[in-house]
Amino acid sequence: MVAAVTAEGGHAAIVGHPEAGLLAAVEMGADLSRIAVVPDPGSDPVEVAAVLMDGMDMVVLGLGGRSVPATRARAVVARARQKGCTLLVTDGDWQGASARLDARVCGYEITGRARPGFGRIAKVQLAYSVSGRVVSGRAGLTPVAQ
């Protein structure tokens, strides 16, 4: 998503993801000059994300397992809406989210004739569920090409 936003001339911020795959983003067409990265936002990553919304088209916020109360979540979402910024929250609980996507890796395929534990991953299979006010509940398995 960051690649799509920046490739079209938008600006994105990645907050609280110290191991963000910027090489993968570039391989998908991302413009690194349009990405702000805050790997360690300190004790309040939500506040850091809220401040960055002023100049960004998208903010990806990693909560590091934290839970954000509904009242605070509503205030930050209202700010994002006012600024025209898309907020994508990962690795935590965002009370009152309009949509929720839960996914886990449940299988993968290796290219070539590699022995177990070695080789290049060709496909990843995800088990996922989607829920929320803006989507009808869906669940399933899908292969994702690497």
Side-chain angles (χ1 to χ4, degrees):
M1 292 177 78
V2 168
V5 167
T6 61
E8 292 179 8
H11 291 86
I14 302 172
V15 178
H17 285 280
E19 296 181 17
L22 296 178
L23 176 59
V26 168
E27 289 174 349
M28 289 185 253
D31 179 350
L32 287 181
S33 70
R34 296 179 170 278
I35 301 174
V37 180
V38 183
D40 181 7
S43 63
D44 195 355
V46 176
E47 184 63 26
V48 172
V51 169
L52 287 169
M53 288 176 189
D54 284 347
M56 299 292 163
D57 298 295
M58 170 182 251
V59 174
V60 179
L61 170 60
L63 292 176
R66 294 175 180 90
S67 181
V68 177
T71 53
R72 185 154 191 220
R74 276 193 302 270
V76 174
V77 168
R79 181 181 180 94
R81 209 173 274 129
Q82 175 191 29
K83 300 295 182 179
C85 180
T86 299
L87 176 63
L88 175 64
V89 179
T90 66
D91 192 26
D93 188 25
W94 189 267
Q95 299 292 317
S98 59
R100 184 175 304 270
L101 170 66
D102 291 303
R104 66 177 174 77
V105 175
C106 61
Y108 57 90
E109 291 180 20
I110 305 245
T111 60
R113 296 162 70 168
R115 61 183 196 258
F118 296 89
R120 184 176 178 98
I121 296 174
K123 290 184 183 177
V124 175
Q125 188 172 31
L126 299 176
Y128 69 91
S129 66
V130 180
S131 61
R133 295 186 304 269
V134 296
V135 294
S136 60
R138 287 182 244 155
L141 294 173
T142 187
V144 178
Q146 257 315 23

